[in-house]
Amino acid sequence: MFVKEVVVQNQVGLHARPATFFIQKANEFKSSIWVEKEDRRVNAKSLLGVLSLGVVGGTTIRIIADGSDEEQAVEGLMRLVESGFAE
């Protein structure tokens, strides 16, 4: 299991379009991946799950992966979040 925290950089957070980019990136990996905000954990490959967290800009989230490519998955998703989803 590999875990890292990252601050969501874009102002609007993980709304529909950034959440879609996040899920598409998560689906590139074989590992099971979750996103945590405070005490809630959701499947990072589920649009409804990610949107249900209500992540806004400036929020710290944890990206958790477990599997054969867990480290690459977390690092790839962190880079995407840190880039602000090109918004």
Side-chain angles (χ1 to χ4, degrees):
M1 188 172 289
F2 193 73
V3 181
K4 280 208 172 175
E5 287 191 350
V6 63
V7 176
V8 177
Q9 299 296 324
N10 62 325
Q11 281 189 318
V12 293
L14 283 175
H15 67 86
R17 193 167 57 179
T20 300
F21 293 149
F22 189 86
I23 290 151
Q24 288 171 342
K25 186 71 172 173
N27 278 305
E28 292 176 10
F29 302 100
K30 293 179 181 155
S31 295
S32 296
I33 308 169
W34 300 274
V35 181
E36 255 183 14
K37 175 189 163 199
E38 296 160 2
D39 60 347
R40 290 206 47 225
R41 180 185 285 194
V42 298
N43 183 343
K45 298 179 181 182
S46 162
L47 180 60
L48 191 57
V50 172
L51 289 174
S52 75
L53 287 177
V55 176
V56 295
T59 302
T60 300
I61 59 171
R62 296 175 86 205
I63 301 172
I64 304 153
D66 190 21
S68 59
D69 55 359
E70 60 192 27
E71 210 166 316
Q72 298 92 320
V74 171
E75 295 295 342
L77 289 166
M78 281 189 59
R79 279 192 298 277
L80 179 64
V81 172
E82 288 170 343
S83 77
F85 302 93
E87 289 198 322

